[in-house]
Amino acid sequence: MRAVGKQVRLLRERAGWTQKELGDRLGYSEDLVSSLERGRRTPQREFLEAADELLGAGGLLKALIEDVERAKAKARVRHPAWFRGYARLEREAVEINFFSMVTVPGLLQTEDYARVTFTVRQPLWAEETIEQRVAARLDRQETLTRWPPPIVTAVIDEAVLRREIGGRKVQQEQLRHLLKIGRLRSITLQVLPLACDENPGVDGPFILLSPKGKPQVAYLEVQGAGRLITDPEEVRMLAARYGAIRGQALTPRESLALIEKLLGEL
């Protein structure tokens, strides 16, 4: 992936464009282009095909597609064994609902924010393990850019947005990222305010997932262990709880306004 990224960077620089300019022309964010060029993120077929044409690569990038897709398939084994069942269902999901009280949901994290969440683990992880986990998390985010994208809703506790995980700069970038993706048609962000005195989510965070053509499931994760819930009654209760949490949260418009306010305070 680093080799592919170097090719993209050299072709971009030959064209005299910045990462932002290339991203704007291809319909991708500057952060994504930066991650691709550093080998931190796996490029999609669509990106390589479009970049090949736009940068006049003469088929160089298109020729890499088969190798990239093979590497992408292998990269999925970097998830810990207890997480792979959920990751497999997530890739085929048509709807994903997050309730987060500790960190920003993984699918919505920036690269630097994600790296911090792995770096601070105790006992300490090896640098290689951290980079593998970061790359795997960024690879999962391709779920949001496929077509058609899954419908995603996320209720994030206000405390998560106020906590400067990784420091002020990392948190600023994360808040900007949330503002950007929160305006996408397929993603709805809501903030559960600190002033909420009847929080129905006090039992902790969870995820509701609807795989295509399959019943809805739920996922819980705590202290490095995950549990996939398939029992219909347990899933039903969590779904009802999620509805109550959304009812207590700020509206999507109010939530984006609060994120903008918090960003201005940093």
Side-chain angles (χ1 to χ4, degrees), residues 65-77:
I65 290 174
E66 184 177 340
D67 290 331
V68 166
E69 292 185 342
R70 277 201 300 267
K72 186 187 300 185
K74 292 180 181 179
R76 288 175 180 147
V77 305

Side-chain angles (χ1 to χ4, degrees), residues 12-22 25 54-55:
R12 172 182 61 78
E13 290 177 346
R14 186 184 69 177
W17 294 337
T18 64
Q19 291 175 339
K20 184 179 187 307
E21 288 170 335
L22 177 60
R25 285 172 167 83
L54 184 65
L55 296 171

Side-chain angles (χ1 to χ4, degrees), residues 86 89-90 93-99 107 150-154 205-211 215-220 228-229 231-246:
Y86 170 80
L89 291 173
E90 185 183 71
V94 294
E95 182 177 344
I96 311 173
N97 306 296
F98 298 99
F99 173 52
L107 283 189
I151 297 300
V152 175
T153 71
F206 58 89
I207 301 172
L208 293 167
L209 188 72
S210 298
Q216 188 178 53
V217 300
Y219 179 73
L220 308 178
L228 191 63
I229 300 174
D231 179 76
E233 182 61 15
E234 288 189 71
V235 174
R236 184 195 67 77
M237 289 190 294
L238 284 170
R241 189 173 302 164
Y242 187 68
I245 292 169
R246 292 195 70 183

Side-chain angles (χ1 to χ4, degrees), residues 142-164:
E142 292 187 6
T143 298
L144 303 178
T145 58
R146 71 168 191 245
W147 185 261
I151 297 300
V152 175
T153 71
V155 180
I156 304 174
D157 194 283
E158 183 180 341
V160 174
L161 304 177
R162 289 186 176 276
R163 185 174 296 113
E164 295 182 14

Side-chain angles (χ1 to χ4, degrees), residues 77 113 121 139 239 243:
V77 305
Y113 189 100
R121 300 292 176 96
D139 185 66

Side-chain angles (χ1 to χ4, degrees), residues 63-64 100 120 137 151 197 200 233:
L64 299 172
S100 182
V120 298
R137 178 163 293 178
I151 297 300
D197 57 3
E233 182 61 15

